[in-house]
Amino acid sequence: MQRTVFAVAAALALALPGASSADEHQNRDYDHKPEAQDFIHGAPEVPSEAWTLAAGGRIYDNWWDALDREKPEGTNPAYPVSVNKEQSGPGTWRCKECHGWDYLGKDGIYSKGGHFTGIKGINGAIGKPVEEIGKTLRDANHPYTTEMITDEEIQRVAAFFSRGQVDMRSFIDYETRTVNTGDKERGRAIFQTTCAACHGFDGRLIDWGEDGAHNYVGTEAAELPDEVMNKILNAHTGVQMINLRAFPLSDAIDVLAYAATLPLEPPTE
Ligand code: HEC
Ligand code: HEC
């Protein structure tokens, strides 16, 4: 009973519309207070390496939610619509849509299925100078204007490309798309003391499922571990979520392994 009351109260607190409702770009249910704007969309005065890499990773995920920009209209003109007829609209402007959550493009999880484009990964950019990577983002494959992503923000995503990528083949089984390593007990400790503050001990306090479907931390970790790894290392875009970028990669893998054991179905009550 007490647990239910807490859950409802927390859900209400998260859903409470903040004073920033004038922010038309915010398309999430979890509106934030104006004080959180800087954390979610801004930059610290003296950015640490961990902050820079996570912020770059969020641009990679969804730059308009990450940076509080106008959502692009229509399909990205650079998107290979002749190759993939399933994807269209703003989503085709996301870096991950062409290069994959595992950064391997056509050689990774997007080698088949609804997100296939035949475009290569970005793992070739590992270790390259940030300036060189940055130039790519103004070429014909990348019709991003400075209003969409500024030069300074490009440096951020380029830093992520150069120094922030992880090789997901070391902890995800590519045949089954499931996590195949990690210390679940350590993951439990981290999850219960950090993630649970918002997602609940069982990961079901926030449900981002649409049209009657349910999507919890557990559901997503079991189905899309590569995507969840991006959220753990960089945070979800446009919301007030923490990330584990400042900690050893093994911590993130342990949380992912534990998250994949959390319930998939809604509570029965
Ligand atoms: C519409 C599809 C598409 C999207 C979206 C996209 N790219 Fe690319 N990207 C490409 C293509 C095509 C290439 C060139 C691949 C080749 O040379 O075969 C490329 C290459 C790159 C490279 C060079 C990789 C290397 O090996 O040196 C980088 C860096 C890059 N993209 C970054 C980004 C970033 C950052 C974003 C998001 C802001 C992004 N891309 C979004 C299609 C896309
Ligand atoms: C301060 C609150 C907070 C904390 C702490 C937090 N999250 Fe989140 N998380 C959120 C919010 C808010 C969302 C957005 C939900 C939505 O889009 O409906 C979210 C979204 C997510 C998503 C879904 C992203 C998607 O694809 O839509 C995952 C996965 C996730 N969080 C995992 C975690 C994990 C793992 C941790 C611990 C390392 C964590 N979160 C910690 C608030 C938090």
Side-chain angles (χ1 to χ4, degrees), residues 25-149:
H25 308 160
Q26 185 71 26
N27 61 355
R28 300 278 161 192
D29 298 328
Y30 303 96
D31 218 347
H32 53 267
K33 293 180 179 168
E35 299 92 293
Q37 177 70 5
D38 205 32
F39 175 72
I40 300 172
H41 302 292
E45 228 166 274
V46 184
S48 61
E49 171 77 350
W51 180 84
T52 302
L53 300 183
R58 291 193 297 274
I59 295 173
Y60 183 77
D61 175 337
N62 179 323
W63 52 266
W64 61 93
D65 271 349
L67 302 170
D68 202 12
R69 296 288 142 71
E70 207 78 60
K71 190 178 186 169
E73 276 177 27
T75 302
N76 182 348
Y79 189 79
V81 285
S82 57
V83 179
N84 186 322
K85 298 182 170 60
E86 285 184 47
Q87 306 294 334
S88 62
T92 57
W93 287 88
R94 294 170 74 180
C95 314
K96 80 93 200 162
E97 194 53 51
C98 291
H99 297 298
W101 285 120
D102 60 358
Y103 325 123
L104 297 174
K106 66 177 168 59
D107 300 318
I109 284 163
Y110 286 180
S111 64
K112 54 182 191 295
H115 297 278
F116 175 80
T117 58
I119 296 169
K120 71 172 182 180
I122 50 160
N123 52 328
I126 295 172
K128 280 199 183 154
V130 163
E131 280 65 34
E132 197 183 309
I133 300 170
K135 281 189 198 130
T136 315
L137 294 191
R138 303 284 186 220
D139 72 12
N141 288 321
H142 304 93
Y144 301 106
T145 65
T146 51
E147 282 75 37
M148 293 174 167
I149 311 175

